Amino acid sequence: MENAKENQPEPEFMAQQLRKPSGEHAGDVGQKMNKVNGPLYDLTFDVMQPRDNEAILEVGFGTGKFFDNLFARAKRLNVSGIDYSEKMVEMARQDNQPSINSGKLDLKLGNSSELPYASESFDKVFCNMVIYFWDHPESHLKEIHRVLKPGGKFFTGMRTRESMLVFPFVEYGFNLYSISEWEEILTRHVFSVINTQTQLDPELEMGENKIQLKSCCIEVQKVG
């Protein structure tokens, strides 16, 4: 039992990797994120309801595991993605090469505080488990607002503050929000809240314990 505990990464190191996966640990971190975030992606896509021919941007796509699930929701989607981690972009490009080659998926390395896209390019923008790492959310939200078409929608996938507090690594550089706090921030940055949905995810094993996270997706519309 002691050896198992010794093999667990330190919370501060895990926090750094979740913010920006890198080096030899990036692949393992990406796989863990996929396992934990699968139910949240399902909720986000249910709320987002992609429609045929839409242009959609994902901010912080990680390993890119869920792009196929998105493409299965509608026809002729034009999907773009941007991620801060070189390693995640590399892995996502490898795993989604057919979609990239067909021209329906474009993946870039970059920061969402400076999105490399023209204004009014997207019908919808979404992110999952990303807002915790925005030390200055106003710069990211301003850019998301800029690249959305008039009346375009932004979807925030997140876990409730109470759910996130079960993880020891959140003490190191995570900006946690309650649902109402994040809705207020969105409203201040020229978005109108349309819909907020929550769900209890299936139980996850965490060491010797089981945890149950509460997922949330907040849908807002561009104003102005």
Side-chain angles (χ1 to χ4, degrees):
M1 190 67 64
E2 291 181 359
N3 289 336
K5 291 182 179 179
E6 289 176 0
N7 291 331
Q8 294 295 320
E10 291 294 325
E12 186 171 5
F13 173 79
M14 192 64 188
Q16 293 170 349
Q17 283 291 312
L18 288 170
R19 177 178 283 263
K20 188 177 182 181
S22 60
E24 61 182 312
H25 300 281
D28 289 338
V29 171
Q31 293 303 318
K32 289 178 181 177
M33 290 193 297
N34 290 342
K35 180 180 179 181
V36 173
N37 293 335
L40 178 58
Y41 268 88
D42 289 339
L43 174 63
T44 300
F45 292 161
D46 286 345
V47 174
M48 187 161 60
Q49 297 184 355
R51 297 180 179 177
D52 295 353
N53 302 303
E54 283 187 324
I56 298 176
L57 169 65
E58 179 175 11
V59 173
F61 52 76
T63 67
K65 176 179 175 59
F66 301 101
F67 283 125
D68 283 345
N69 294 4
L70 177 56
F71 284 120
R73 297 274 182 147
K75 299 177 181 178
R76 299 178 299 279
L77 292 177
N78 184 358
V79 178
S80 299
I82 187 166
D83 199 281
Y84 187 53
S85 164
E86 292 183 16
K87 192 64 176 178
M88 291 296 96
V89 174
E90 177 186 331
M91 292 177 62
R93 284 174 175 166
Q94 290 176 350
D95 293 344
N96 292 277
Q97 201 60 54
S99 294
I100 293 172
N101 290 343
S102 70
K104 64 182 183 180
L105 178 64
D106 177 62
L107 303 180
K108 296 184 184 297
L109 174 68
N111 194 317
S112 52
S113 63
E114 296 181 5
L115 290 172
Y117 307 103
S119 298
E120 301 183 0
S121 295
F122 298 100
D123 299 287
K124 293 171 179 174
V125 177
F126 74 99
C127 66
N128 280 327
M129 302 294 282
V130 170
I131 62 172
Y132 311 120
F133 308 117
W134 290 350
D135 296 328
H136 303 285
E138 59 275 4
S139 61
H140 302 269
L141 293 174
K142 182 179 179 180
E143 277 292 271
I144 289 169
H145 189 280
R146 179 184 66 80
V147 301
L148 277 170
K149 296 177 182 179
K153 295 179 179 180
F154 172 48
F155 302 81
T156 304
M158 58 186 284
R159 265 40 186 266
T160 61
R161 186 202 301 274
E162 294 76 15
S163 287
M164 292 299 292
L165 288 175
V166 304
F167 298 111
F169 51 72
V170 299
E171 296 182 21
Y172 302 95
F174 276 66
N175 303 296
L176 301 182
Y177 302 94
S178 69
I179 293 173
S180 60
E181 286 172 341
W182 187 246
E183 287 178 336
E184 182 181 352
I185 290 172
L186 289 166
T187 301
R188 287 205 311 264
H189 291 86
V190 206
F191 289 100
S192 175
V193 177
I194 295 176
N195 181 25
T196 298
Q197 292 193 24
T198 62
Q199 70 178 20
L200 279 177
D201 296 344
E203 288 186 338
L204 285 170
E205 291 187 2
M206 184 176 173
E208 299 178 349
N209 303 315
K210 289 186 178 180
I211 62 173
Q212 191 169 31
L213 302 176
K214 188 173 183 179
S215 288
C216 172
C217 181
I218 301 173
E219 176 185 2
V220 297
Q221 189 166 33
K222 176 178 178 176
V223 179

